[in-house]
Amino acid sequence: MRTELVSQKFEFSFNESHFDKIRELVFSHTGISLGDEKRQLAYSRYSKRLRALGIDDFDDYIDIVRSGNESEIPLFVSAITTNFTSFFRENHHFDFLVNEVRRLLLTQNSIRIWSAGCSSGEEPYSIAMALLSGVPGVESADVKILATDLDSEILDRAFRGVYPKEKIEGVDQNMVKSWIKHGSNDNKGYVMVHPKVRGMVSFKQLNLLESWPIKNSFDIIFCRNVVIYFCKEVQKTLFSKFANNQKKGSQLMIGHSENLAGVCDSYRLIGRTIYEKI
Ligand SMILES: C[S@@+](CC[C@H](N)C(=O)[O-])C[C@H]1O[C@@H](n2cnc3c(N)ncnc32)[C@H](O)[C@@H]1O
């Protein structure tokens, strides 16, 4: 039986039909499938948008999003996407990356890496730092990192490359010494990535579920902790598109709780959450 979610503790009325409409919109804009257990999360994330807009009815909010309102859509998306990330998250991928790029540079001068779903930038900057520290000659080679995310707010943060200093706790000290600058005066308590690191990364807003204006073939793709909320069908489409943008022998890194089994047979597993295009 469908439950009515109007209760004293809810500031706004939020019934089953509101939740269904919200999750349809979330799915169409992000590919994220919100299960029934995400009802409270949806309510709390979107209540903030109602408050910010000074409205008190979910129907009005749904109308705004359905109308394709240009200023609200990015905020609608940001409100639900989970942006958690960190420098050198799942560190084994960076060890693999360094060895692979060293190997590739023996036979090619141009290397393209894609951080798809880069959030606030820690992932692509970690890629750049790992390469600058671990691959001799990388600065003179044509090595570029494309970093994309759906969420334009988080991309602004990524582009700035400025983080609270707590974000670098646990990062290798040699890496910090070489590639992280500590802020002073007004910027005390913040750190900034070195211009050489920033210089290797280009940020672009991109919804992975829409068409990609991308012509490159990527030697290595990082798409980690992005597809966990996508349904199987969406994952299948996405990974087959990645496969179309990679040559045989290129690699794809996915998140620790993700798996290509039953999703895409264009890759074979060659390491912990590391796949190779076949
Ligand atoms: C949890 S973060 C992962 C960040 C990083 N890859 C990592 O592993 O640390 C997931 C990111 O995927 C992005 N994302 C979600 N749906 C997306 C879509 N349809 N297209 C592009 N990015 C998307 C979110 O905005 C978020 O920044």
Side-chain angles (χ1 to χ4, degrees):
M1 209 183 78
R2 308 208 111 196
T3 40
E4 192 68 19
L5 287 182
V6 188
S7 102
Q8 290 297 315
K9 66 186 166 87
F10 288 99
E11 179 184 356
F12 306 108
S13 163
F14 189 66
N15 59 31
E16 197 72 30
S17 153
H18 291 135
F19 180 49
D20 284 345
K21 288 171 188 161
I22 288 280
R23 52 182 173 177
E24 267 172 44
L25 286 164
V26 167
F27 184 75
S28 71
H29 284 280
T30 68
I32 294 171
S33 308
L34 295 178
D36 289 342
E37 75 290 354
K38 292 285 177 359
R39 187 183 302 150
Q40 179 60 42
L41 176 100
Y43 173 80
S44 89
R45 300 271 176 102
Y46 289 116
S47 292
K48 290 187 187 134
R49 294 305 312 139
L50 267 70
R51 265 177 239 122
L53 292 168
I55 54 178
D56 59 8
D57 189 333
F58 261 93
D59 284 318
D60 292 341
Y61 184 64
I62 288 163
D63 285 345
I64 292 172
V65 179
R66 280 187 170 166
S67 74
N69 183 297
E70 277 186 17
S71 54
E72 186 55 27
I73 297 295
L75 299 168
F76 174 79
V77 166
S78 290
I80 204 71
T81 49
T82 299
N83 298 120
F84 176 81
T85 185
S86 59
F87 285 106
F88 295 97
R89 182 181 195 183
E90 298 172 48
N91 204 15
H92 65 285
H93 284 157
F94 299 93
D95 296 336
F96 179 91
L97 168 84
V98 165
N99 287 330
E100 182 58 14
V101 171
R102 281 181 176 202
R103 191 184 68 79
L104 290 173
L105 281 178
L106 298 175
T107 53
Q108 62 189 72
N109 188 47
S110 159
I111 293 183
R112 295 292 175 265
I113 299 167
W114 182 7
S115 164
C118 65
S119 189
S120 39
E122 288 87 332
E123 179 176 278
Y125 289 140
S126 300
I127 295 172
M129 287 189 249
L131 295 180
L132 285 164
S133 288
V135 182
V138 76
E139 287 179 59
S140 52
D142 175 25
V143 178
K144 292 194 174 124
I145 303 158
L146 171 68
T148 64
D149 202 282
L150 166 73
D151 181 344
S152 39
E153 283 202 327
I154 204 82
L155 271 180
D156 286 344
R157 257 191 270 165
F159 185 75
R160 283 198 295 277
V162 175
Y163 302 91
K165 69 175 176 13
E166 293 71 31
K167 291 287 278 180
I168 55 157
E169 277 168 13
V171 175
D172 178 270
Q173 275 314 301
N174 290 326
M175 208 63 95
V176 171
K177 258 190 222 142
S178 306
W179 307 118
I180 301 283
K181 294 161 75 158
H182 288 265
S184 53
N185 304 325
D186 286 355
N187 294 321
K188 199 164 188 296
Y190 288 87
V191 295
M192 185 180 215
V193 296
H194 192 287
K196 275 192 186 167
V197 174
R198 296 183 55 172
M200 288 181 73
V201 183
S202 311
F203 289 100
K204 297 261 178 319
Q205 197 271 343
L206 179 78
N207 185 344
L208 290 170
L209 307 184
E210 292 175 354
S211 61
W212 304 341
I214 286 176
K215 290 180 223 86
N216 284 326
S217 169
F218 290 93
D219 298 290
I220 303 172
I221 296 178
F222 284 68
C223 184
R224 309 183 311 159
N225 308 299
V226 176
V227 304
I228 14 176
Y229 308 106
F230 296 175
C231 67
K232 270 261 153 70
E233 285 315 303
V234 171
Q235 292 189 17
K236 281 182 183 169
T237 311
L238 178 62
F239 286 115
S240 87
K241 282 171 77 182
F242 281 140
N244 290 338
N245 281 266
Q246 292 203 285
K247 294 195 186 96
K248 188 171 175 238
S250 303
Q251 283 93 25
L252 169 70
M253 322 279 194
I254 62 173
H256 60 287
S257 61
E258 296 159 342
N259 198 322
L260 291 196
V263 172
C264 182
D265 54 14
S266 304
Y267 294 93
R268 72 183 180 99
L269 188 65
I270 56 163
R272 184 148 55 106
T273 53
I274 303 174
Y275 288 81
E276 182 180 86
K277 168 91 187 285
I278 47 182

